[in-house]
Amino acid sequence: MEGILHKWTNYISGWQPRWFVLDGGTLSYYDSQEDAWKGCKGSIKISVCEIIVHSTDITRVDLTIPGEQYFYLRAINAAERQKWLVALGTAKACLTDNRTRREKELQENTEAIKTKMSELRLYCDLLLKQVNKIKDSEERGDSAEAGEDTGNMVKSTCTTFLKTLEECMQIANHTFSSDMVSQSPPGSPPVAAIKPQKIKPLSHLKLNLGEKLRESEEAHENQSQDSGREGAEEPEKPDIPSHRDQAPSTVLQGSALEEDDGPPAPYTAGPETQLEGEGSNPEQEQKHNMDQIKEDGEDEVSRNQREMVSAPDQILPPQDSLLEEEGVDTFFSTMSHRFSDIRLEDDRGIPTQDFLDSCYAIVPVLDKLGSTVFAPVKMDFVGNIKKINQKWLSDPNSFPTLQSIVLHELQTATAQVRNSATEALLWLRRGLRFLKEFLSEVHSGEQDIHGALNNAYGRTLRQYHGWVVRGVFALALRASPSYESFTAALVSQEGDQLKPGFTSGMRRDLSVYLPAMEDQLGILDDLYDEYSLESDEVV
C-alpha cells in the first residue's frame, strides 16, 4: 500500500505531508511521490514496532519502537486511517507468525548449543586433569604402562571434544542460515579504476603496414579503371612512386610509444623501380610492382626492428610482457570502497563513513574462504561494524571521524562499557588486523591457505580467544580452501585466474591496498595505546 500521510517533524515545521510506501514489512517515506527516486528519508520495520491508535484524534496513528523510533502520523480522514490500520495490522500479523516460528526454532537451537557448550567445558576440565596427571606420573617415575593408559585416556577425551565441537558447529550452521549471515549493507557502485595507457605492441606496426599495402592496391586498381575509360587499346601504365618521392621513414620516438594519438609515421616504398616499354603487359607489370611493394614493406619492418634494437630507450616489449605488465582486474581493484581510497583529515583523522564502507567491502573475503565455516567470524565482524555505524548515525555531524567517537565516549565515561562503539572498534580493528596479516601472506607468495590463515591467527586473534573459540577457529581453518579455489574466487570475470597477468594483477592491487590498510590500523593502534583502551580480556 502507498499514499500520502502527514508526519510530525518538529515544533517549527509541525505536520508535513509525506509519501509513504508499505512493502515487504517495512514502511518507508519520501518527500513526495515525484521525489521517490531520490531514496527514502526514513523507514520502520512493522514486525517490531507498536501500532497505537490515538484516543481522541480519529485521523492519527502512532508507530513506535520504544527507545529507538517514533513515527507520529495523520491520515487525510478517518476512512483513510482505517485502510492504513488494516494494511499495517495485516503486515504485522504475517510477519509475527513467521517470526514466532523462527524464534521458536532459534530458541530450541540456542538451548542445544548451550548444552553442547557445557559438554565442551566439561571435556576441557577433564583434559586439564588428565594432563596434570601425566605430569605427576612423570615426576613420580611411574611405569610406561601407566603412562600409556593415561595417554589413551587423553586421546579419547580429545576425540570426544572434537566430535562435540563439530556437532556444535552443525547446530550453529543450521541456526544461522546462509541467507542471514550473507546479508551485508549494500555499497555504492564500484568506481572505475584508472588504467595506464598501453604501449602500442609490434603487431600494430605490422597491421598498419598491411593497411598501407591494401590502400596502395586499391589506388592502383582505381588508376587502371580510369585509364581504361580514356583509351581501351593502350591503357596507361600505373605510376609506382619511388622512395625519393615519398616522405622519409621516421624512427618511433618515446613519446609516440607512450601516447596512442594516431597512426604511426609513413613508411618508404623501397628502391625506385624502372617502368618497362610500351610493349610490356600492364597487368604483369602491376603485379610485379605490387610484389615489389610488399617485399620493400617487409624490408621496412626489418629495418624498423633493427633501429629499435639499436636504440635501447625505444625497445618495444613483447606481447606477453605487455599482458603481464597490464595485469588483470581482481576483487581488490573492483571493490566498491577501498582503504586505499580513503583521504585522511589534516590531523590524521579517519573518516567514519568511508572507513565503515571499506570494512563492509572486505567482508566478502570471508565468504571466499568458506561462507559456512567462517559464518560465526563474519557475524562477529559485521556486528562490530553495525555497532559503530549506529553510533555514527546517532549524530553524523558530531562523529565525522573514528577518533571523535572514541574521544566522545571517553568524555562520557562509556568507552569501556559493554557493547560501546569503542569496544566494537577494538574488536573490529583486531579482525581487520587478522585479514591484513593473511592477505600479506598471500601477497608474499604463500600458496598454503591453511598455513597462511593459521599464521595470521596466531599473530593476531589467538591471544584473545579461550579454549572454545580457539576450537571453533581450528575447525574453520581445517576447512579452508585450496590456493586455486581461493584465487578463482577473487576474479572479476570467470576464467581471469588462468590469464598470464592475473598474478601480477593481484600483486599490483594488494601492494596498493595493504599499505593503506596498515597505515589506518596503525593510527588506531596509537589511539588505543595513548588512552590505555587495550584489553587483555579473553573470550
Side-chain angles (χ1 to χ4, degrees):
M1 183 175 178
E2 56 186 29
I4 295 177
L5 292 172
H6 287 75
K7 181 178 181 296
W8 175 261
T9 56
N10 51 54
Y11 283 101
I12 298 177
S13 302
W15 297 92
Q16 294 293 327
R18 297 288 184 261
W19 181 258
F20 280 81
V21 177
L22 176 61
D23 183 36
T26 302
L27 181 67
S28 308
Y29 72 92
Y30 309 82
D31 280 333
S32 64
Q33 185 177 7
E34 293 76 17
D35 293 336
W37 62 273
K38 296 180 180 178
C40 72
K41 296 181 68 65
S43 63
I44 188 169
K45 294 187 73 67
I46 302 302
S47 61
V48 296
C49 75
E50 298 178 6
I51 303 175
I52 303 174
V53 179
H54 202 272
S55 57
T56 57
D57 191 341
I58 61 174
T59 63
R60 180 171 163 182
V61 57
D62 299 340
L63 306 178
T64 65
I65 301 177
E68 293 188 19
Q69 277 185 294
Y70 300 90
F71 276 22
Y72 304 117
L73 308 175
R74 270 182 178 172
I76 299 174
N77 50 46
E80 187 69 15
R81 184 188 75 166
Q82 187 62 29
K83 291 181 181 179
W84 278 102
L85 286 174
V86 172
L88 293 170
T90 303
K92 186 175 179 63
C94 295
L95 293 169
T96 302
D97 290 342
N98 293 333
R99 191 160 59 93
T100 302
R101 289 195 298 269
R102 177 62 182 164
E103 287 177 350
K104 183 178 179 181
E105 182 181 357
L106 182 61
Q107 185 177 4
E108 292 175 352
N109 290 333
T110 302
E111 291 298 327
I113 290 178
K114 288 181 179 179
T115 303
K116 293 296 180 183
M117 294 283 282
S118 300
E119 294 179 11
L120 288 173
R121 292 190 184 95
L122 176 63
Y123 294 136
C124 181
D125 294 338
L126 185 59
L127 277 172
L128 290 175
K129 291 179 181 179
Q130 291 173 349
V131 170
N132 290 330
K133 186 176 180 181
I134 291 176
K135 290 181 179 179
D136 294 340
S137 299
E138 290 179 353
E139 292 176 357
R140 292 195 305 267
D142 292 345
S143 62
E145 289 186 6
E148 185 176 353
D149 292 340
T150 308
N152 290 333
M153 292 176 61
V154 173
K155 180 180 179 181
S156 176
T157 306
C158 288
T159 303
T160 309
F161 179 87
L162 291 175
K163 182 179 179 182
T164 306
L165 181 61
E166 191 168 357
E167 291 173 354
C168 184
M169 286 297 300
Q170 290 175 356
I171 297 173
N173 290 336
H174 178 70
T175 304
F176 309 110
S177 56
S178 59
D179 58 341
M180 290 182 61
V181 300
S182 61
Q183 291 177 357
S184 296
S188 304
V191 180
I194 301 176
K195 298 182 179 179
Q197 294 182 350
K198 305 178 182 66
I199 299 175
K200 181 179 290 188
L202 188 59
S203 58
H204 287 263
L205 194 64
K206 296 180 180 179
L207 180 62
N208 288 328
L209 178 59
E211 293 175 355
K212 278 285 184 181
L213 293 176
R214 285 196 296 272
E215 291 174 2
S216 298
E217 291 176 356
E218 292 174 358
H220 288 302
E221 289 176 1
N222 293 334
Q223 289 177 2
S224 299
Q225 291 174 0
D226 293 340
S227 61
R229 284 192 292 268
E230 292 175 1
E233 293 182 359
E234 292 186 2
E236 294 183 2
K237 304 175 182 61
D239 293 329
I240 306 298
S242 68
H243 68 285
R244 299 190 189 94
D245 298 329
Q246 297 191 14
S249 173
T250 58
V251 179
L252 296 176
Q253 300 298 323
S255 60
L257 296 176
E258 294 172 0
E259 300 180 3
D260 191 6
D261 293 333
Y267 294 88
T268 57
E272 183 178 9
T273 56
Q274 299 292 334
L275 298 178
E276 297 183 5
E278 295 180 357
S280 62
N281 188 337
E283 294 181 358
Q284 292 179 355
E285 182 179 351
Q286 181 175 351
K287 181 178 180 182
H288 169 73
N289 291 330
M290 293 310 301
D291 291 341
Q292 185 65 33
I293 290 175
K294 293 180 180 179
E295 292 176 0
D296 293 341
E298 293 175 357
D299 292 340
E300 181 65 29
V301 172
S302 300
R303 183 163 58 257
N304 282 328
Q305 290 177 345
R306 288 195 300 271
E307 289 173 347
M308 286 185 287
V309 169
S310 62
D313 294 337
Q314 300 165 1
I315 296 177
L316 287 172
Q319 190 73 11
D320 292 341
S321 64
L322 285 171
L323 290 173
E324 187 71 21
E325 180 182 348
E326 177 187 352
V328 178
D329 286 338
T330 68
F331 168 79
F332 296 99
S333 60
T334 57
M335 342 174 37
S336 56
H337 298 84
R338 293 175 291 186
F339 292 103
S340 53
D341 295 333
I342 295 178
R343 297 293 176 262
L344 301 179
E345 302 291 338
D346 293 338
D347 57 352
R348 301 280 285 169
I350 302 175
T352 304
Q353 185 177 11
D354 293 341
F355 183 83
L356 295 179
D357 288 340
S358 299
C359 291
Y360 274 126
I362 200 176
V363 169
V365 172
L366 295 173
D367 290 331
K368 299 176 191 306
L369 289 170
S371 58
T372 302
V373 294
F374 275 88
V377 182
K378 176 181 175 181
M379 290 182 63
D380 182 65
F381 194 88
V382 173
N384 290 321
I385 299 175
K386 288 182 177 179
K387 290 176 186 177
I388 303 169
N389 189 58
Q390 186 175 6
K391 181 70 174 181
W392 174 72
L393 288 175
S394 65
D395 193 354
N397 294 329
S398 298
F399 306 127
T401 63
L402 296 176
Q403 290 92 326
S404 62
I405 294 177
V406 175
L407 294 176
H408 174 266
E409 291 192 342
L410 281 170
Q411 293 172 359
T412 57
T414 57
Q416 295 181 328
V417 175
R418 179 70 64 183
N419 293 326
S420 65
T422 302
E423 184 192 47
L425 182 57
L426 172 69
W427 283 101
L428 177 60
R429 177 172 58 91
R430 291 171 177 174
L432 288 171
R433 179 71 67 182
F434 163 70
L435 285 176
K436 187 262 173 185
E437 291 294 328
F438 163 67
L439 293 173
S440 296
E441 292 266 340
V442 175
H443 182 236
S444 63
E446 178 61 65
Q447 296 193 1
D448 180 8
I449 299 298
H450 177 271
L453 288 169
N454 197 35
N455 293 338
Y457 178 67
R459 289 196 294 265
T460 56
L461 293 174
R462 190 177 188 277
Q463 58 183 318
Y464 306 111
H465 288 168
W467 274 76
V468 176
V469 180
R470 288 182 186 181
V472 173
F473 254 89
L475 192 64
L477 296 183
R478 284 168 55 187
S480 57
S482 63
Y483 179 79
E484 291 74 15
S485 301
F486 177 65
T487 53
L490 294 177
V491 297
S492 58
Q493 295 182 2
E494 186 177 356
D496 278 357
Q497 73 276 13
L498 303 177
K499 294 182 179 180
F502 175 73
T503 302
S504 63
M506 277 282 292
R507 292 174 181 165
R508 172 202 65 202
D509 297 338
L510 287 176
S511 62
V512 175
Y513 186 84
L514 293 177
M517 190 177 182
E518 173 62 32
D519 181 41
Q520 292 162 44
L521 291 177
I523 294 174
L524 294 178
D525 290 343
D526 295 339
L527 176 67
Y528 275 68
D529 288 340
E530 180 180 355
Y531 294 98
S532 302
L533 295 173
E534 284 291 348
S535 172
D536 296 330
E537 181 184 2
V538 176
V539 297

